[in-house]
Amino acid sequence: MPRNTPTSLQKATLPVGENEGELTTRIVRLDQRFVTKLGPSDERYRITDARSTGLSIRMEPSGNHTWQVRVPSQEGARQIWQTLGKVADIPVRRARRLASDTRKIAADDPNSRKALGKDRAQKLPFEELAEEWMDTYVAKKKPGTQTSYQEKLDLYILPRFRNHKLRQMDAAAIRAWHEDITAKGVCAVQKDSTRKPRQAARSADVALGTFASFFRFAIQEGWIVSNPTRDVPHNGDHKIHRPMDGNARRKAGQTIRDMMVDGSANPIHLMAVQVSMATSLRREALTSLEWREVDLERRFIRLETKNTTAFDPQYIPIGSAAYTILRGIPRIGDSPYVFPGRNPNRPMAPGTFNAVWNKIRERAGIYGDYPEQDRYGKTIEKPPIRPHDLRHTKAAKLAETNENAMVGALVGIKTTSMIDRYGGPGKKKKEEVNEGYETCLAEDKLSSRRGPPRNGPDTPCERNWAGARGDGEGLGETLQGPRIESQASGVLGQEARGQSVQSMINVNICRRIAGGL
């Protein structure tokens, strides 16, 4: 076999390990001189040793190259890449011995991949394990999530745990780290920071969530058996749920109409808020919405994968309110965006949407129902309705009369836990239904008899019982009100005959939420 030189490398594409896709492989007869001269690469690829079966160098643009060996996980299964260590730390001869030993162990025990991984993970510092986590697990997530995880690693986690071994990263160490960040912020872990120490409860919790994701991956790989972050308490309950009631929705709708008349805001920006209220699209998905994603003829919005929480498209039905608003939005030149920014070739900035909604909220006087406490225990007398609460509003209204599956399909939520969080009733709704129940008990003289009282279908007590059951009457008014074929006020009034059940329910919710749009 002729000797391969760095200037005449063979290229081949070989199947690589689980969840890694395909990398270009260059076959070279490695020696220490060649390996020592390796610098940062323009892209990720492999240099495979022609003298040792399965041994490769994984080249990285950062220059942090690693030795890897290809081993079978079990007979007849796809082969897996096992990391041996950094190229800078392991010479060529030792790497070949390690590769040979690793392949022999895997050949004797086809199910030894996790055992090999656990033994290796206990010896490597956290920094190298975190790189593997980012390359194999986080790489499958959305670009925004990848960026967020990398930022939390670099800013908060690596400065404290860079050289720690897994056995050193127990609940006590993580709890002390979390408390330090909560009290001092980034200054707790970066000693040379020029920033002044300040409380950072939110950042501490987000960094803890990033840490928890790493440990879940470690459990999946067999490196550890339990997640130490479970024993670290968060800085209070930060799950905010502020759905607007009917009065608040009417105020918002009237304020939007007034602002369109007096010209106090860009009409297209105001229409973006209207569409958000009707469709419950996420802010980033709404501001970057393109005309090619909107099908007005068949009345649905097809969100691309970049604007969804999962790597698959989502179909959001367009009800009467959203249809009327979208049909009235003018197209700005050749801009592909429904809501363009100052530069028509770029979408409206999420910050612009926030600013417009804050104007509407302040002018309408819309706030949360009750005072709340922030992460530091300070009381907020009038908690603001956030732009994201427009999604909570539709989900909460839908959940009054629909099952979780329908709520998730219309709002674009997949997990049951998140549907329960978004679809939970607001505080005023709880008070109304509870008052209806107690009024009924009072009129029934606190009878222990179950079911509605026998004092007629038109009495207040019977109506209150219907409201508590969700029949669309009394205090528990729901979405079953107007028929689909009826004409509604304002921008509503498009007929919805022949639509699917999902679209019919969406039309009803549009009529309820966007009554004043």
Side-chain angles (χ1 to χ4, degrees):
M1 178 177 178
R3 182 180 179 87
N4 290 303
T5 64
T7 57
S8 60
L9 302 179
Q10 298 179 13
K11 292 187 179 181
T13 302
L14 301 177
V16 299
E18 186 177 22
N19 299 326
E20 291 191 25
E22 291 189 347
L23 292 178
T24 299
T25 297
R26 302 180 179 183
I27 304 174
V28 178
R29 183 173 294 182
L30 297 176
D31 56 42
Q32 192 59 43
R33 182 181 299 179
F34 174 78
V35 172
T36 304
K37 293 182 179 180
L38 291 176
S41 60
D42 296 334
E43 59 181 356
R44 286 181 176 174
Y45 64 94
R46 297 187 189 280
I47 298 179
T48 298
D49 185 15
R51 295 181 58 184
S52 180
T53 304
L55 180 62
S56 294
I57 297 176
R58 179 175 172 126
M59 302 293 292
E60 298 287 348
S62 62
N64 192 15
H65 313 313
T66 55
W67 289 107
Q68 292 187 335
V69 60
R70 192 173 52 179
V71 297
S73 58
Q74 60 184 12
E75 186 177 356
R78 195 175 184 183
Q79 298 190 86
I80 303 299
W81 287 103
Q82 186 74 36
T83 301
L84 301 177
K86 289 186 176 181
V87 170
D89 299 334
I90 303 176
V92 175
R93 290 185 179 181
R94 186 184 170 201
R96 285 172 177 157
R97 289 196 301 269
L98 289 174
S100 178
D101 294 343
T102 302
R103 288 182 62 86
K104 287 180 181 178
I105 295 174
D108 295 337
D109 182 5
N111 298 316
S112 63
R113 176 174 178 250
K114 285 195 173 182
L116 288 169
K118 182 177 181 180
D119 181 67
R120 179 182 61 85
Q122 297 298 331
K123 298 177 182 178
L124 294 178
F126 170 73
E127 183 178 17
E128 294 188 26
L129 299 177
E131 290 178 3
E132 185 170 340
W133 167 62
M134 290 292 296
D135 290 341
T136 60
Y137 178 76
V138 181
K140 298 183 294 182
K141 296 185 175 294
K142 294 174 61 177
T145 303
Q146 297 178 34
T147 302
S148 175
Y149 279 10
Q150 189 66 59
E151 289 177 350
K152 301 304 178 293
L153 268 177
D154 296 339
L155 196 61
Y156 295 106
I157 302 177
L158 286 178
R160 174 70 64 89
F161 297 101
R162 185 183 307 275
N163 297 316
H164 280 57
K165 303 296 192 297
L166 280 179
R167 62 178 179 274
Q168 299 174 299
M169 301 166 66
D170 55 10
I174 296 175
R175 185 183 298 110
W177 162 80
H178 182 257
E179 291 173 354
D180 288 345
I181 295 178
T182 301
K184 302 178 183 179
V186 71
C187 297
V189 291
Q190 296 190 0
K191 304 302 182 182
D192 57 345
S193 175
T194 57
R195 305 180 188 181
K196 294 182 178 180
R198 65 182 181 86
Q199 291 181 321
R202 170 63 177 169
S203 298
D205 284 352
V206 174
L208 182 63
T210 302
F211 227 162
S213 178
F214 165 78
F215 283 112
R216 287 193 295 269
F217 170 74
I219 293 173
Q220 176 183 328
E221 293 296 305
W223 300 345
I224 56 177
V225 295
S226 62
N227 192 334
T229 61
R230 289 186 175 181
D231 299 325
V232 181
H234 286 68
N235 293 307
D237 184 7
H238 306 325
K239 296 178 180 178
I240 300 175
H241 181 58
R242 300 173 189 157
M244 295 188 294
D245 57 14
N247 184 43
R249 295 195 302 270
R250 285 189 290 272
K251 284 184 178 180
Q254 182 60 47
T255 302
I256 291 173
R257 290 198 300 271
D258 294 342
M259 294 176 70
M260 284 187 174
V261 172
D262 60 30
S264 56
N266 188 322
I268 293 182
H269 295 169
L270 295 174
M271 289 180 177
V273 175
Q274 291 178 318
V275 173
S276 176
M277 295 177 68
T279 62
S280 72
L281 289 177
R282 293 177 178 83
R283 183 188 60 180
E284 286 72 13
L286 178 78
T287 55
S288 61
L289 186 66
E290 300 183 22
W291 284 112
R292 63 184 177 83
E293 298 176 304
V294 180
D295 191 331
L296 291 177
E297 181 178 351
R298 291 183 288 179
R299 295 198 179 190
F300 68 80
I301 296 173
R302 183 184 185 275
L303 293 181
E304 302 293 344
T305 56
K306 61 183 175 66
N307 289 324
T308 64
T309 56
F311 284 98
D312 57 348
Q314 289 183 2
Y315 292 85
I316 305 298
I318 297 176
S320 297
Y323 175 82
T324 304
I325 298 166
L326 287 169
R327 194 176 59 178
I329 297 175
R331 297 205 179 192
I332 309 300
D334 296 330
S335 175
Y337 299 104
V338 179
F339 306 108
R342 291 184 178 180
N343 181 353
N345 295 321
R346 297 183 64 86
M348 179 173 71
T352 302
F353 182 88
N354 290 351
V356 173
W357 169 249
N358 288 337
K359 280 185 179 181
I360 297 171
R361 173 181 58 79
E362 292 173 1
R363 183 165 171 174
I366 301 172
Y367 300 96
D369 296 337
Y370 298 93
E372 298 178 7
Q373 284 191 339
D374 63 9
R375 301 177 183 89
Y376 308 105
K378 182 181 178 181
T379 301
I380 304 176
E381 295 295 336
K382 294 182 177 181
I385 301 295
R386 309 161 302 162
H388 196 67
D389 289 321
L390 301 179
R391 279 175 59 78
H392 285 254
T393 298
K394 180 172 181 177
K397 194 65 180 174
L398 281 169
E400 294 177 9
T401 53
N402 296 282
E403 299 294 334
N404 277 359
M406 184 60 70
V407 176
L410 289 172
V411 182
I413 306 174
K414 285 198 170 185
T415 61
T416 304
S417 60
M418 290 302 293
I419 294 174
D420 291 338
R421 175 178 168 185
Y422 277 66
K427 294 180 180 179
K428 283 190 176 181
K429 185 63 181 178
K430 294 178 184 178
E431 288 183 352
E432 290 176 357
V433 175
N434 182 69
E435 183 64 25
Y437 172 73
E438 294 189 10
T439 301
C440 181
L441 289 181
E443 293 184 5
D444 199 27
K445 298 180 180 179
L446 298 180
S447 170
S448 60
R449 172 172 47 81
R450 299 187 65 179
R454 303 190 186 95
N455 53 357
D458 297 327
T459 62
C461 184
E462 167 62 16
R463 289 195 296 273
N464 290 334
W465 266 94
R469 292 197 313 267
D471 292 341
E473 302 287 345
L475 297 174
E477 184 181 5
T478 62
L479 304 182
Q480 297 180 2
R483 295 181 58 191
I484 297 293
E485 295 82 8
S486 64
Q487 297 291 321
S489 60
V491 301
L492 308 177
Q494 300 297 324
E495 295 188 355
R497 298 185 180 94
Q499 297 187 40
S500 65
V501 174
Q502 188 175 353
S503 297
M504 293 169 66
I505 293 177
N506 199 54
V507 169
N508 269 338
I509 196 64
C510 279
R511 288 175 172 169
R512 286 289 182 179
I513 289 180
L517 300 185

